[in-house]
């Protein structure tokens, strides 16, 4: 059995915040943000909107595209590091709002690698024969956890959600192979320390703290490693790849890795100029947009890759069809 993607969807809050808007509240400027990250604007959700709200919008679109009814789902996985609350899980909240009455549901916490970890997890459930129809969502609202006086983080992130419906198939399509890994000893370079059991009163703050340069060095190293791992395990070559959809954090990371791997620009999908880093949502939003733009056709080989807090990283090789 293989896990095939039979529907995609995405959702972004309507409010656009440009680099110039940020330059009014923090000591930054459009030229710096564009040159150092590639980001031009990002979406920011209203105070009343929670991660599960964006997840539901993306999930409904993915379900519609798949032709499945909510009650046909057997499992819902929401990949997020900005859950609505500590419990119940955002996946259970989504299961309730979708009325997916026959589905189990749980959250997966791997930050910006979440969607890739989730895709590997969902595909494994399908390959084992445990489930046939799974809804996988990557959703985050990290703008709620930004220190708007810290220019080194508040300029980078945006909110969004992306979803896919996966179905069992006996054809050789869908998720062909996966790789995922963690380097927990590097965890302190990217944290949101407050609010967990170590600091329930948020004495250490409820804001994202990041040593950007360290994460940058990690990202370029591990993206290359994880791409090589999935190519090696299948005997595929870079030349056979039709589209690379990396986590959208910084265009310099994407350019560096693409160049090193010998992937030409036309085979690399980038949309971070519009949304910034949407964490677990970035890869499924990019996948949904690439499909809508006709960049993916049946039989294409895709590499989806992520990296992020943990630190974590992973890739999936997907044959579209
Ligand atoms: O999803 C995974 C999460 N994160 C990432 O993938 C992030 C990976 N890292 C990065 O993308 C980059 O390291 C950053 C975009 C975060 C930073 O870019 P950088 O080229 O590594 O800049 P830097 O941190 O070395 O800072 C260079 C200078 C510093 O000034 P001084 O010390 O040279 O005077 C910063 O204070 O740029 C300054 N700076 C800014 N200036 C204007 C940092 N942020 C800004 C800003 N506007 N927003």
């Amino acid at each position: 059995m293989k896990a095939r993607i039979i529907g995609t969807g995405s959702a972004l809050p309507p409010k656009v915040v440009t680099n110039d808007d940020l330059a009014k509240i923090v000591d930054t400027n459009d030229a710096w943000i564009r040159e150092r990250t590639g980001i031009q604007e990002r979406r920011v959700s209203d105070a009343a909107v929670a991660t599960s709200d964006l997840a539901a919008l993306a999930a409904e679109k993915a379900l519609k595209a798949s032709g499945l009814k909510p009650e046909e789902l057997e499992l819902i996985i929401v990949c997020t590091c900005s859950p609505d609350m500590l419990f119940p899980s955002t996946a259970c909240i989504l299961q309730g709002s979708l009325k997916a009455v026959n589905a189990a549901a749980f959250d997966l916490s791997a930050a910006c690698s979440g969607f890739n970890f989730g895709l590997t997890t969902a595909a494994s459930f399908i390959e084992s024969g445990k489930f046939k129809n799974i809804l996988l969502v990557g959703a985050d609202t990290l703008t709620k956890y930004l220190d708007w006086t810290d220019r080194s983080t508040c300029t980078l992130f945006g909110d969004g959600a992306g979803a896919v419906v996966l179905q069992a198939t006996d054809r050789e399509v869908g998720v062909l192979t996966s790789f995922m890994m963690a380097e927990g000893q590097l965890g302190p370079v990217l944290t949101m320390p407050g609010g967990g059991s170590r600091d329930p009163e948020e004495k250490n703050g409820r804001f994202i703290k990041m040593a950007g340069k360290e994460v940058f060095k990690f990202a370029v190293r591990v993206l290359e490693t994880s791409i090589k791992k999935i190519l090696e395990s299948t005997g595929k070559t870079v030349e056979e790849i039709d589209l690379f959809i990396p986590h959208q954090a910084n265009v310099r990371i994407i350019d560096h890795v693409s160049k090193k791997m010998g992937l030409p620009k036309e085979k690399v999908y980038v949309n971070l100029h519009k949304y910034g880093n949407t964490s677990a949502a970035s890869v499924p939003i990019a996948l949904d947009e690439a499909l809508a733009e006709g960049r993916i056709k049946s039989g294409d080989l895709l590499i989806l890759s992520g990296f992020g807090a943990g630190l974590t990283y992973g890739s999936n090789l997907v044959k579209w069809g």
Side-chain angles (χ1 to χ4, degrees):
M1 280 296 169
K2 290 282 177 209
R4 175 178 164 244
I5 296 173
I6 60 165
T8 67
S10 57
L12 291 140
K15 186 177 168 191
V16 175
V17 174
T18 65
N19 293 343
D20 285 335
D21 292 333
L22 290 176
K24 289 178 197 143
I25 59 167
V26 71
D27 181 17
T28 189
N29 56 77
D30 179 55
W32 192 96
I33 302 171
R34 275 180 199 242
E35 279 161 26
R36 305 310 292 168
T37 72
I39 300 165
Q40 295 174 18
E41 57 189 42
R42 71 285 295 143
R43 302 298 182 90
V44 175
S45 47
D46 289 340
V49 172
T51 297
S52 70
D53 298 321
L54 294 178
L57 291 173
E60 280 160 13
K61 290 183 193 167
L63 274 169
K64 191 166 179 219
S66 76
L68 286 194
K69 296 186 187 67
E71 56 270 26
E72 292 177 275
L73 293 171
E74 293 154 289
L75 177 64
I76 296 174
I77 304 174
V78 174
C79 312
T80 187
C81 57
S82 46
D84 287 23
M85 53 189 84
L86 285 182
F87 60 83
S89 67
T90 304
C92 283
I93 294 169
L94 178 64
Q95 188 244 10
S97 71
L98 290 176
K99 300 188 175 63
V101 292
N102 296 308
F106 63 83
D107 284 2
L108 189 154
S109 172
C112 302
S113 306
F115 183 79
N116 270 282
F117 275 39
L119 190 55
T120 303
T121 306
S124 303
F125 274 121
I126 287 177
E127 286 158 18
S128 73
K130 181 84 182 158
F131 296 120
K132 287 196 168 55
N133 295 319
I134 299 179
L135 171 66
L136 172 66
V137 184
D140 271 309
T141 51
L142 288 184
T143 65
K144 292 171 188 286
Y145 302 97
L146 293 175
D147 174 354
W148 294 100
T149 65
D150 174 10
R151 65 181 183 177
S152 71
T153 52
C154 78
T155 47
L156 305 178
F157 295 92
D159 301 336
V164 301
V165 176
L166 292 147
Q167 187 167 62
T169 177
D170 53 13
R171 293 190 291 124
E172 192 61 17
V173 294
V175 181
L176 299 185
T177 193
S178 306
F179 176 78
M180 54 183 189
M181 189 47 67
E183 294 189 11
Q185 77 285 0
L186 290 178
V189 305
L190 179 50
T191 61
M192 224 291 286
S197 59
R198 175 100 29 218
D199 179 18
E201 288 163 10
E202 299 182 343
K203 289 185 189 128
N204 296 311
R206 50 176 288 276
F207 302 121
I208 295 173
K209 296 182 180 177
M210 179 168 73
K213 270 209 182 319
E214 297 311 309
V215 180
F216 193 102
K217 279 190 272 179
F218 167 80
V220 294
R221 167 169 65 83
V222 302
L223 271 177
E224 191 184 345
T225 305
S226 75
I227 294 170
K228 282 185 176 159
K229 288 270 183 199
I230 58 171
L231 290 176
E232 274 164 25
S233 72
T234 48
K236 304 279 184 202
T237 62
V238 170
E239 291 70 38
E240 292 175 83
I241 301 305
D242 297 290
L243 194 62
F244 173 42
I245 306 182
H247 170 48
Q248 309 281 310
N250 186 322
V251 78
R252 288 189 295 131
I253 294 173
I254 297 174
D255 286 349
H256 183 97
V257 173
S258 306
K259 205 171 159 198
K260 192 113 194 271
M261 295 303 302
L263 280 159
K265 270 196 177 342
E266 59 275 15
K267 288 189 172 188
V268 181
Y269 195 81
V270 176
N271 66 358
L272 64 81
H273 53 289
K274 296 188 286 185
Y275 309 130
N277 181 347
T278 56
S279 187
S282 85
V283 172
I285 292 172
L287 175 66
D288 188 47
E289 293 200 342
L291 262 179
E293 291 164 15
R295 298 271 306 263
I296 301 172
K297 56 183 190 315
S298 188
D300 276 359
L301 266 188
L302 320 178
I303 291 180
L304 314 185
S305 298
F307 58 87
L311 296 179
T312 52
Y313 64 104
S315 288
N316 287 272
L317 182 69
V318 174
K319 184 170 182 182
W320 203 257

